[in-house]
Amino acid sequence: MTDEWQAKVQKLRQIVTEKGHQAGGGWDHAWQTSLTPWDRGQGPQPALTSSYERDARTKNLLPQSAGGNALVPGCGRGVDVEYLASRGFDKAVGVDLVQGAIDKAHNWLASLPRQPWHDRISFVALDYLSVGQDDESKLDLTAKSLFGSFDLVYDYTFFSALPPALRPKVAASHAKVTKRGGKLFTVVYRLKVDGDGYDGSGPPFKVTPQDYHDVLDAYFDLEFHGKPLEHAPGHEGIEEIMIWKRKEVE
Ligand SMILES: C[S@@+](CC[C@H](N)C(=O)[O-])C[C@H]1O[C@@H](n2cnc3c(N)ncnc32)[C@H](O)[C@@H]1O
């Protein structure tokens, strides 16, 4: 990690902490000013691809066949959405709060060599946290169309990107969109620091597996927790995978 990259992460954390509870949450400003340190032009995370393709412990826990739907909340440029579409999902949807992010995702997809699965991708500008709210009468049709629709929800850099006070809302939204019996794939980005201290860096908030348990246990049962088979450079020893199954009844 370079000093410049760390400075960007710190700045993003500051903005999201200050504005996280307001409309836009600071993310519109981040996208407008290219304060997007997470987006280093790489492909999908090896933690996701290896779990899907090569890890005997996890492969069979993840929906593999055509016919299902996958969702990436806070999709940004949408690399994970493109990857999941390539795995054969009928529909792969990326949701982001910021229209500028959705525009970037469309432009990035259009820049790739055309693939048959690209027709199964959609990017939607939406406040994902609104989806889990109790008063459904406040939601528009786009938000309602996500209810109970997804066989797989993939969350790497969403839970850890929002201020901790918003985590119950993230969990409620994950629960709302995941089919009963469907899977939630979370990657915990544990910061490599001395002891359990926090060095102020990260994507951008500190997370531990217990943080996920605290808000997800009401809706999901944990099926797998362990280190991924493969990592992006520099992520060794930091990431842990948690695969959850949506409870049939709560
Ligand atoms: C750390 S970035 C990760 C982007 C992408 N998943 C990636 O790894 O490249 C978090 C993303 O979540 C989006 N976001 C923040 N709050 C959101 C919300 N309430 N609903 C939907 N997206 C949101 C931000 O605009 C940003 O693109």
Side-chain angles (χ1 to χ4, degrees):
M1 285 187 289
T2 63
D3 288 349
E4 188 191 353
W5 187 82
Q6 276 214 326
K8 280 191 169 185
V9 171
Q10 292 288 4
K11 177 85 181 150
L12 177 64
R13 184 165 185 265
Q14 183 196 337
I15 289 172
V16 174
T17 303
E18 284 166 6
K19 302 194 172 175
H21 302 271
Q22 303 166 14
W27 293 100
D28 41 2
H29 175 75
W31 279 101
Q32 271 165 24
T33 57
S34 297
L35 190 60
T36 53
W38 66 84
D39 188 0
R40 292 191 273 181
Q42 296 161 338
Q45 289 291 331
L48 172 64
T49 55
S50 63
S51 300
Y52 240 109
E53 297 170 35
R54 289 176 288 287
D55 191 336
R57 303 167 303 166
T58 55
K59 265 170 77 164
N60 295 334
L61 297 177
L62 297 169
Q64 292 283 347
S65 60
N69 301 323
L71 175 74
V72 181
C75 63
R77 190 160 53 92
V79 286
D80 302 315
V81 183
E82 202 270 341
Y83 172 72
L84 289 171
S86 78
R87 298 301 304 164
F89 284 98
D90 268 358
K91 197 164 79 170
V93 180
V95 168
D96 205 288
L97 179 65
V98 181
Q99 183 61 51
I102 296 298
D103 294 343
K104 277 216 164 121
H106 281 298
N107 291 341
W108 173 74
L109 190 63
S111 76
L112 299 179
R114 190 83 198 144
Q115 302 293 348
W117 57 85
H118 289 178
D119 292 336
R120 306 198 298 267
I121 294 175
S122 51
F123 293 114
V124 181
L126 180 75
D127 178 1
Y128 184 70
L129 299 186
S130 70
V131 176
Q133 68 180 292
D134 290 335
D135 186 355
E136 294 177 2
S137 67
K138 290 189 179 146
L139 294 177
D140 65 16
L141 283 178
T142 308
K144 285 185 181 166
S145 72
L146 304 181
F147 286 6
S149 295
F150 294 93
D151 302 86
L152 178 73
V153 175
Y154 174 64
D155 179 347
Y156 182 4
T157 42
F158 186 61
F159 188 97
S160 57
L162 298 182
L166 295 179
R167 289 175 185 165
K169 288 189 175 182
V170 177
S173 296
H174 284 346
K176 196 61 93 54
V177 301
T178 311
K179 279 183 189 167
R180 297 281 174 177
K183 302 299 173 80
L184 169 65
F185 185 121
T186 56
V187 186
V188 184
Y189 189 96
R190 248 187 204 273
L191 297 167
K192 201 194 275 175
V193 289
D194 291 338
D196 198 31
Y198 174 47
D199 71 355
S201 67
F205 293 95
K206 177 187 172 185
V207 284
T208 66
Q210 188 58 46
D211 294 327
Y212 288 79
H213 275 295
D214 287 347
V215 293
L216 291 174
D217 281 352
Y219 312 108
F220 295 88
D221 294 315
L222 184 65
E223 286 197 320
F224 177 81
H225 178 191
K227 305 246 185 236
L229 214 53
E230 296 168 22
H231 303 270
H235 289 194
E236 296 80 5
I238 295 178
E239 294 168 341
E240 293 170 33
I241 295 168
M242 299 175 93
I243 297 176
W244 308 79
K245 183 175 181 184
R246 179 75 172 97
K247 289 182 196 287
E248 295 292 346
V249 279
E250 278 156 24

